[in-house]
Amino acid sequence: MHEDFRKAELQALADLSGIEIGFLDYSQYSPHCIVRLPHEDAARNLISRSILSQGIYELWGTGSTYDELHQDIRRRTANSWTNYRSSSFKFEIQAYQGKRSMAELQDLILTFRYLGFNGPVDLKHPDQTFCIFEDCDWGVKTPKRLYFGRLIAHSSRSIIGTYTLKKRKYLSTTSMDTELALVTANLTHAAPGKLFYDPFVGTGSFLIASAHFGAYTMGSDIDGRAVRGKNGINILTNFQQYNLVDRYLDSFLADLTNSPLRGTSRLLDGIICDPPYGVREGLKVLGSKDGGGKEIRYLNGQPAHLQDHYLPPKRPYSFEAMLDDILAFAAGTLVQGGRLGLWMPTANEGEGELEVPMHPCLEVRLRDDEVRDDQPIRQDKTGMGSTANDLNAFRKRYFEGFKGPQAKEEQSDQP
């Protein structure tokens, strides 16, 4: 689970549904989060498409010991117990970093008999499910925090298995992780009636995730092999696999700097992408180094660029320029309130601040640095250079092992 995105996903889903949410208790180091919502229907709506949450519960009590927990339950909810007195029910316990034996579970459940539930116990299809949450430190049996709640609704986390890459028919080595693709679609507000676009579509992982939530999707890629696929297996195959064909418009061959969508009206509700980092090979865009090659060339009497296996000429491209081009493209094609979901590479050395590209027409709504670099990796996009490393500071530092200035000095001092 990608803990750093849990709060951001809930906030994004609340914004999407127009739900006012208040975070009363949240820590990325705890699996539990306490929020304030206007009513139970809002809670169901909020959690219904969450990927990083397990479920949402009406909080009946909390405490650092079971005595405190029971006192808090009596104080908060004594007037509500009669509402569930005759309902079928079951009890669950979720122990974070802890474990309970069956005998211990039974003893704990019996301590809640003062609730006076007289309905039948139903472990498969109960009217109400009540859960005890224990938050423990690693290796410590005694919980440091306890919660008790009534289940309102489960999340959509189970769909990760539905879209797992292990069973997907059209894949590549760079296909985006299913969980991250679905979370990114939530963060960018993919929803019915919206149009989402991936300019680095690859095998279509982001489009599949966006289509799952109801958005119409389309993509493009500089690599025609990714768009066309092989032996009849391509992006469309994945949409057919998940019965989402009606939400896939098409994909076409283009790079971001030569996209036919540039200069069009604002028609995109979301742009969702994981740009190439240029590590395995230098980044390229359509064109030639000297600016030539625009004349039509013929192969076997037919225009070469219209033939199935045509590979257009490409020239080196700066990673930093690509980031700026993505933001400029988004500023020109997103509708008012549209969102850009963009993944960027970082490294995990030191405590330096990652420099995020900015644009005057775009507002940063979420920035999450799962890993950090000891120095900003951004360089002047107009800097001189023609090699892959000259044009991509991240690539250069990647192959240098992300060694900071101190490491370089130590290395130079060695005999």
Side-chain angles (χ1 to χ4, degrees):
M1 181 180 288
H2 304 276
E3 295 87 352
D4 292 354
F5 293 104
R6 291 178 302 168
K7 183 178 180 180
E9 186 195 39
L10 289 176
Q11 184 65 65
L13 294 177
D15 294 341
L16 177 62
S17 300
I19 298 172
E20 184 176 348
I21 185 173
F23 290 90
L24 305 183
D25 186 13
Y26 173 83
S27 170
Q28 69 179 76
Y29 304 107
S30 171
H32 309 114
C33 171
I34 301 177
V35 298
R36 179 187 288 116
L37 295 168
H39 45 73
E40 194 167 306
D41 287 341
R44 288 194 179 91
N45 190 4
L46 177 72
I47 208 67
S48 63
R49 54 180 281 176
S50 174
I51 302 301
L52 297 180
S53 301
Q54 297 278 5
I56 193 163
Y57 296 75
E58 180 185 42
L59 181 65
W60 278 35
T62 181
S64 56
T65 66
Y66 272 97
D67 286 340
E68 288 184 7
L69 176 63
H70 292 308
Q71 291 175 10
D72 199 39
I73 292 173
R74 289 185 171 94
R75 180 180 64 84
R76 290 174 182 258
T77 64
N79 294 331
S80 301
W81 300 349
T82 56
N83 296 334
Y84 312 103
R85 188 143 290 169
S86 59
S87 301
S88 63
F89 69 95
K90 75 171 181 178
F91 272 68
E92 296 178 338
I93 184 166
Q94 296 186 22
Y96 176 66
Q97 298 187 148
K99 188 176 181 180
R100 293 284 187 178
S101 67
M102 185 58 67
E104 289 176 319
L105 294 178
Q106 292 174 348
D107 290 341
L108 284 175
I109 292 173
L110 288 176
T111 66
F112 290 86
R113 57 180 174 269
Y114 60 86
L115 294 173
F117 296 154
N118 298 321
V121 174
D122 187 341
L123 300 181
K124 292 186 177 181
H125 305 289
D127 295 329
Q128 304 295 334
T129 297
F130 296 90
C131 189
I132 307 165
F133 298 91
E134 294 188 338
D135 190 354
C136 306
D137 286 325
W138 183 256
V140 179
K141 187 173 182 179
T142 302
K144 62 181 180 182
R145 198 69 193 172
L146 298 162
Y147 306 89
F148 182 74
R150 179 179 67 88
L151 175 66
I152 295 177
H154 290 294
S155 70
S156 288
R157 185 165 178 78
S158 61
I159 67 170
I160 295 175
T162 302
Y163 294 101
T164 177
L165 296 181
K166 295 179 180 178
K167 299 179 181 179
R168 191 166 297 179
K169 294 182 179 180
Y170 182 51
L171 282 176
S172 75
T173 56
T174 58
S175 294
M176 174 58 74
D177 171 76
T178 298
E179 183 177 3
L180 288 180
L182 290 164
V183 170
T184 308
N186 269 341
L187 296 176
T188 48
H189 287 181
K194 293 189 175 184
L195 177 58
F196 267 53
Y197 170 61
D198 183 353
F200 309 96
V201 67
T203 59
S205 292
F206 280 132
L207 299 191
I208 291 291
S210 301
H212 167 78
F213 292 119
Y216 294 108
T217 62
M218 64 179 180
S220 65
D221 204 292
I222 192 175
D223 188 349
R225 294 168 296 184
V227 174
R228 290 188 295 266
K230 188 176 181 180
N231 299 326
I233 306 297
N234 50 34
I235 299 172
L236 179 60
T237 305
N238 288 339
F239 279 84
Q240 292 170 337
Q241 179 181 352
Y242 301 119
N243 296 317
L244 296 172
V245 175
D246 60 325
R247 298 173 192 170
Y248 177 54
L249 302 183
D250 209 344
S251 292
F252 54 91
L253 178 61
D255 71 59
L256 197 67
T257 63
N258 294 280
S259 172
L261 298 179
R262 281 184 174 271
T264 60
S265 60
R266 299 180 181 276
L267 51 85
L268 301 176
D269 296 285
I271 299 172
I272 183 170
C273 61
D274 180 28
Y277 306 152
V279 172
R280 292 187 300 171
E281 58 179 285
L283 293 173
K284 296 181 183 296
V285 291
L286 297 177
S288 58
K289 292 182 180 180
D290 58 6
K294 297 182 180 180
E295 65 279 1
I296 297 178
R297 297 186 179 185
Y298 291 85
L299 181 64
N300 298 326
Q302 299 292 328
H305 67 279
L306 297 179
Q307 300 187 30
D308 289 342
H309 301 291
Y310 173 73
L311 294 178
K314 302 179 181 67
R315 60 179 175 82
Y317 187 39
S318 163
F319 176 75
E320 289 72 22
M322 177 185 66
L323 295 179
D324 287 338
D325 283 340
I326 293 172
L327 267 62
F329 177 81
T333 57
L334 285 173
V335 300
Q336 188 71 26
R339 291 196 168 199
L340 164 66
L342 168 67
W343 283 87
M344 288 177 54
T346 62
N348 194 22
E349 289 291 339
E351 299 295 333
E353 189 77 8
L354 174 67
E355 186 175 342
V356 174
M358 305 292 287
H359 191 281
C361 297
L362 300 175
E363 176 188 7
V364 177
R365 298 301 302 270
L366 166 66
R367 170 187 168 179
D368 186 84
D369 303 334
E370 285 195 284
V371 287
R372 307 173 72 93
D373 191 9
D374 63 335
Q375 294 286 320
I377 63 172
R378 189 168 169 81
Q379 68 182 22
D380 184 359
K381 67 173 181 176
T382 61
M384 300 299 293
S386 59
T387 68
N389 280 357
D390 291 336
L391 293 169
N392 189 340
F394 174 80
R395 184 180 194 273
K396 181 178 180 181
R397 298 194 66 192
Y398 178 92
F399 286 110
E400 288 177 349
F402 297 103
K403 297 177 181 178
Q406 181 178 356
K408 293 179 180 179
E409 291 177 5
E410 292 175 355
Q411 186 175 9
S412 63
D413 291 340
Q414 294 180 357

